[in-house]
Every structure is written in structure tokens, then in C-alpha cells.
Amino acid sequence: MSVEEAFAKLCLSDAPADAVTVKSLVFKPKTPKSAVPVPIVVVALHTTTTPSPLIAQVASAKDPRLARDDLVKDIFKCDSAKNFTLAFLSNATSEFKLLIDNQLEAVEDATVLQLNDNLFITKAELFKFLSAFDQQSVDFSQEVKKEEPKKKQQAKKQESSKAVLDDAKLIGITVDKAKDFPGWYQQVLTKGEMLDYYDVSGCYILRPPSYAIWEFIQKFFDERIKKLGVQNAYFPMFVSSRVLEKEKDHVEGFAPEVAWVTRAGSSELEEPIAIRPTSETVMYPYYAKWIQSYRDLPLKLNQWNSVVRWEFKHPQPFLRTREFLWQEGHTAFLDQPEAEEEVLQILDFYGDIYKELLAVPVIKGKKTEKEKFAGGDYTTTVEGYIPQTGRGIQGGTSHHLGQNFSKMFNLTVENPKGPEFPKVYAYQNSWGLSTRTIGVMVMIHSDNKGLVFPPRVAQWQAVVIPVGITKKSSQEQREHIHASAKTIEDRLKQAGIRAFGDYNDNYTPGWKFSQYELKGVPIRIELGPKDIEQSHVTVVRRNDSRKYNVKLDELEQRIPEILDELHDDLYAKAKELYDAHRVIVNEWDEFVPNLNKKNVILSPWCGVMDCEEDIKESSAKKDDGEEIDVDEKSPSMGAKSLCIPFEQPELKEGQKCVKCDRPAINYTMFGRSY
């Protein structure tokens, strides 16, 4: 008798409507290659949040992640992680740790528990079965202990003091971007009035300058997708646990990040409701309802909304936030080639957003199987690079879901060939771009004076500042300079330039120059008595302080040209840095040294997931083999696969993988990453 059959005998034949849902999750801790991993099995009420940092703490394990099929097959003899149930504990071929939710222990013995779609068991029978295994009761509501050695704290304080700029004024940026990048990033955002911190950790207020960038991205992207026939819609942010769990592979990818609503006022909800981490499971039941014929295809919807993803240690404004704005497109097609064509069209739009609006270079490519979107066939991506940290950053993704979700949600249509042919499952895509774009732009372009905005997304492209007014200036002279400056401001607005003037006499021009440099205004236009006499203005670019004398009768023509030149120069500088730090490495002994020089690396790779994990683990070491002391506020120190670039160097005949002896199948871009 198999373990499944033996366990089934303990279960109920009928499925009561009031059964309490229980989840059983298998985690794999980070383990040296030479050691056998000890899996961690967590059994908890579905409503209990089981954060991986807490699991690591109570199980004395390092960096546990949801286990993949290979571990579940090897240790529990179950064909896949998706099909794992507690019955397979009896198959264990090696040691494992069993963590039991103390809230589940408190449930009445007669309560019927639902383990999956088919298994229902009383609490008493389940715990009788689990008593055969060593187990540990866990209070998952406890906080993760945070301890930091005093020496480390002192070292950080010393580093922070070294990063203070020599000529820093408290009103401006006081830390050096090169010496304290996180401190600099926080200051440039808050002092530049991009955002403010909220009283819920990981949530931020987007102030007008940053939200304006998002509006420009919306306008740019919206115009293009509507030409493809995409329509905007809106679906609720709440999703029931039943629906969210319908596609198990998909939800497992998001499970640690899902935020749950369990109470309304003083009442417990009968069923916990999730706040969407993404909307596939929200939208697709309705796609199946609306699509009744192949004539209803393609269906192309997009929504501009926010999502919530809760589980991570250290929020970073724009890059990793618990709530963020994005667009998510969800489309369904009759034919696979048509669907796959759209995947690349959208990816090109994302590339254009970075290049044409944000002046940021990106590499287009395909994610590996390990890094692809959970539940999809494949994922395409645009990957950026942050020169200051030497890390890659995912900029936007376009996924081909194949028929995976349409089969799960029964999204079928009659075959166009006739009723005698089998029904056709729709081919689906999903694609998304978020406010992470803003953080990438700030990190790449801004400097120790403050923000640097590419002009096409700047809330204000130009500020007009009267100069040359002194105590000796008469009221008539003062009024004439202000009136002349106001005329220039009005002419710029008429020409479509987003301009404003600062005519406040309480501050000196020098103070104003610094203030608008801090806020990233692309150009300032100075007008004083001598400028008026010579019929020109002085234009100063924010990015490099380059000065132009522009004749007044050329104003409407020349200012747009200067803004475009500024954009092109920002892009060229960023691309030069990306290209210089994107190096080809064919031998493993050159991999980590190049990684430590703040490079992303193109290497020949075999395509095997175990080798990919080995590269990440092995590259999290210094040249002497010692593990790097990882700052938890910084990104992962191991090099992960960023993408398989579409533009490939030519593989040499007989080329081996950079890490193992298998033949290489492509060049893959690896890097330390956000």
C-alpha cells in the first residue's frame, strides 16, 4: 500500500463546507554544495503568515526558500512540489524539520481540516499522524530577532562619517554618492521632494515631481498599447483564497508576499481575503466568462493600479516597496504566434520608455527557467545597470503564459475548424512595468548636488531666474527685469516647454540655483540687466553646468534643442558606463574578480538550473574563498542570472559552460542584482 493510500484511509470521504484550510509548505535552506539540505516542512492554518526570516530563525537555517521539484522528489519521493501532501512525510529518505503553527494546535480536535482539493481530515487524526515525526511548535506572530554586533554598528557609523561631503550644507545633500550610496539615495529623494516616508513601513507618499514622471510614462505607454487594440479596465484589489490558490505554481511564487485581510471591524471574516500581488487569478475567471467564441478573441485588457507584496526585510523607495503602482496587461489570443508577437512588441515599448523618456540603457533578453514568472511558459525582460553599486536591476517584464492559465480557468472556445474538432484553449500573455522605473532613473543620473531629471519626464523642464538685482537697483529696474523674465516664461509655455519663474526677492539667485539643482530642474534660464541689453539669456544645464547664450529671437527653437541634447548626453553617459561594465568572461577563475569590479558578466552557460544555483552560491565569495559579509540592506551578493540577451556573442565551437564541463548553449548575463 502506498503512503498516499495509507494516509487517505485517515481522511474523510465527504467534504464539509465549513472545513478549515491548512497549508503544508516545503522549504529548502541555503546549504553548501558538499552538504545534504535538511528540508523544513511548515504546517499552518492558511490564514497564518509564515515569513521565511522567522522560519530561518526557529529552524536555525539560512535563507529558506520554497523547495523545487528536485528536492521533493529526492527526499519525499513525490513527483513534484505542486503535488506534495503531508502523506509523503512517511517517504522521507533523510532528516527533515517539521514546524507546526501553534494556532493550528489550538483548533478543536473535531474540526475538519482541508489539506488540498481532495483531502479532508479531522484535526485529531492529523496530529495523531504527525506525532510520528519530531516537530516544533511555532508562534508565527512573533517578531524576528534583529541583532547586530556593536563592532559592526561602530564600523557603519565610521563609514557614514567618512561619507559626509566636505562642503555640504544641511539644506542640500550632505553625503557622498560614492561613499554612502543608501544614505545619498534617501536624501536625494526626500530633499528633492520626490517622496516622503509614511507611517507604515515599506509604503511611501509619491509627491508631485515623482508622480509626474509616472504620468508621462502612462501617457507614452497608453498611446502605444491602444494602437495594438488594448483597452484599459479595472478589477478589484481583493481576491478570495479559493481563487488565489487555483493556480498553485503561480501562487507559490507569491505566497510569502501576500497580505491577507482577516477582520472587518470587530468580526473575523469567514474566508480570508488577499490583497492582489498580481491579477492573473483575479481576472481570468472573468475572461473565461466573457470569451464564449473564437470571435471574442483576442481580448486585450490593461489596468493601471497598485499591488501589495509584503514579505521582505528592507524596503527601498521605488525599488522594493510593499505597495507600488504599475500597469499590468493581460491578453488572450486564439493563436500562439499572435500571442508571442505581442510579447516582444510590449518589450520594445518598455525599452523605449527607458531610452526615450528616462535616458536609461537596458538590455533585452529572456529569463532562465529558474527566474521566469511563476506559472508562465517564458519571460522576456529589460535589464538595467546601476553603476554606483555594479548591480543589475530588472526594469520590466513581458510574459508568455502559454495555455497554463487558460487550462486552469477553462478559458476555451469552439475550434474554428468546426464542432468535430476539440475545443481550443486560449494563449495568454501578461506584462507589467512599475514605479521601480523612477528609482532606476534617480540612481543612474542624479549626483551630489541632488536630482537630475531627464527633461522628457521632468515636471518642470526650465526655471527662469532674474539675476543682477542689488540693493542699488531702483524699483523701476527691478520691475523691468521681472517683467522681462515673465515674458520669457510665457513664451516658453506657449512653445510647449514646462517652465516657471522664481521672482521671490527673499532669496539670492545663488540660493535659488542650488535649490533647483537639488530638485533636478533640467535647465535654468538666467536673465539680468546685461542679458536684456544684449537681447539674450544665459541657459545652464543641470547635468553638467554647461552654459549657453541663447538669443531672444531664437528662444522657442533653441530651448527644445538644448533639452534634447541634454537627454541624449544623459543616455550616452549611462550607456558608456553600462557597456564598459558589461564584460565577457569565459573562464570561471575570472568570474568573481570581474564581478567584484562592479561588472555584469556575459558568460557561456549550459542552461542547467543546478549549475545556475552553483554560480550564484560560488560567486557570493571573495577571491580568497571566504564568504562576503553581506549587508542585509544591500542586494544579494551572489550573481544571479539576469537574462539571456537577444543579442548574443558567437559561441566558439566546443565552448564549455563557464562553471561546469557541460557544453554551453548560449551566453547568459549574470550579475549581483536588486
Side-chain angles (χ1 to χ4, degrees), residues 201-271:
S201 175
C203 297
Y204 304 89
I205 299 165
L206 301 192
R207 300 185 69 178
S210 61
Y211 196 81
I213 298 171
W214 188 236
E215 287 180 312
F216 288 119
I217 291 172
Q218 279 184 304
K219 184 174 183 291
F220 182 96
F221 188 67
D222 221 42
E223 288 175 353
R224 283 155 180 77
I225 61 174
K226 283 178 178 174
K227 289 178 182 177
L228 297 182
V230 179
Q231 301 177 82
N232 285 324
Y234 186 80
F235 286 74
M237 70 166 62
F238 299 115
V239 52
S240 69
S241 57
R242 281 179 291 105
V243 172
L244 189 63
E245 290 170 353
K246 196 158 188 177
E247 216 300 317
K248 192 172 180 182
D249 279 348
H250 172 69
V251 75
E252 278 187 2
F254 289 103
E257 302 174 346
V258 176
W260 293 93
V261 179
T262 58
R263 294 176 65 88
S266 59
S267 304
E268 295 285 341
L269 297 181
E270 289 184 10
E271 179 187 14

Side-chain angles (χ1 to χ4, degrees), residues 246 288-289 405-413 423 425:
K246 196 158 188 177
K289 175 183 176 182
F405 284 89
S406 62
K407 288 178 179 177
M408 184 59 60
F409 290 94
N410 198 29
L411 205 172
T412 61
V413 295
K423 286 189 172 184
Y425 287 98

Side-chain angles (χ1 to χ4, degrees), residues 73 140 281 311 338 463 559:
K73 287 177 185 176
F140 282 103
T281 55
E311 171 59 27
E338 189 181 5
V463 55
I559 295 301

Side-chain angles (χ1 to χ4, degrees), residues 59-307:
S60 300
K62 184 178 181 181
D63 196 20
R65 292 285 185 265
L66 283 170
R68 294 188 173 271
D69 292 347
D70 53 355
L71 180 135
V72 176
K73 287 177 185 176
D74 290 345
I75 294 181
F76 297 109
K77 306 304 177 188
C78 177
D79 59 358
S80 71
K82 182 177 182 179
N83 295 328
F84 176 82
T85 69
L86 294 175
F88 289 95
L89 294 180
S90 300
N91 275 346
T93 58
S94 66
E95 179 188 1
F96 65 90
K97 294 181 180 181
L98 180 60
L99 307 184
I100 309 290
D101 177 13
N102 68 348
Q103 293 187 52
L104 176 58
E105 291 176 326
V107 169
E108 296 278 344
D109 283 349
T111 303
V112 177
L113 307 177
Q114 180 177 357
L115 304 184
N116 63 15
D117 290 342
N118 305 311
L119 293 178
F120 296 82
I121 190 171
T122 64
K123 186 254 186 169
E125 284 292 341
L126 176 63
F127 274 71
K128 183 177 177 182
F129 170 77
L130 295 176
S131 65
F133 310 102
D134 291 335
Q135 56 188 263
Q136 181 178 351
S137 176
V138 178
D139 175 8
F140 282 103
S141 66
Q142 65 181 292
E143 292 188 10
V144 180
K145 295 177 183 176
K146 295 180 180 178
E147 295 181 0
E148 189 174 35
K150 289 183 179 179
K151 287 184 180 179
K152 206 170 185 180
Q153 290 177 335
Q154 291 170 354
K156 282 186 178 180
K157 286 181 180 178
Q158 290 173 358
E159 286 297 319
S160 296
S161 63
K162 289 178 183 177
V164 174
L165 293 168
D166 292 337
D167 58 348
K169 306 292 189 296
L170 289 179
I171 196 169
I173 306 302
T174 62
V175 295
D176 193 324
K177 181 179 182 181
K179 296 178 180 177
D180 180 7
F181 188 66
W184 169 86
Y185 182 60
Q186 178 182 348
Q187 282 199 15
V188 83
L189 291 176
T190 53
K191 293 189 174 185
E193 298 181 357
M194 289 281 280
L195 59 73
D196 210 339
Y197 284 78
Y198 195 58
D199 65 352
V200 176
S201 175
C203 297
Y204 304 89
I205 299 165
L206 301 192
R207 300 185 69 178
S210 61
Y211 196 81
I213 298 171
W214 188 236
E215 287 180 312
F216 288 119
I217 291 172
Q218 279 184 304
K219 184 174 183 291
F220 182 96
F221 188 67
D222 221 42
E223 288 175 353
R224 283 155 180 77
I225 61 174
K226 283 178 178 174
K227 289 178 182 177
L228 297 182
V230 179
Q231 301 177 82
N232 285 324
Y234 186 80
F235 286 74
M237 70 166 62
F238 299 115
V239 52
S240 69
S241 57
R242 281 179 291 105
V243 172
L244 189 63
E245 290 170 353
K246 196 158 188 177
E247 216 300 317
K248 192 172 180 182
D249 279 348
H250 172 69
V251 75
E252 278 187 2
F254 289 103
E257 302 174 346
V258 176
W260 293 93
V261 179
T262 58
R263 294 176 65 88
S266 59
S267 304
E268 295 285 341
L269 297 181
E270 289 184 10
E271 179 187 14
I273 294 176
I275 302 174
R276 62 177 168 224
T278 180
S279 295
E280 280 78 4
T281 55
V282 177
M283 299 170 76
Y284 296 166
Y286 296 91
Y287 279 36
K289 175 183 176 182
W290 298 335
I291 297 171
Q292 298 297 315
S293 162
Y294 67 87
R295 296 178 183 86
D296 297 326
L297 292 171
L299 177 61
K300 303 180 180 183
L301 298 183
N302 174 70
Q303 57 177 353
W304 297 92
N305 60 330
S306 68
V307 292

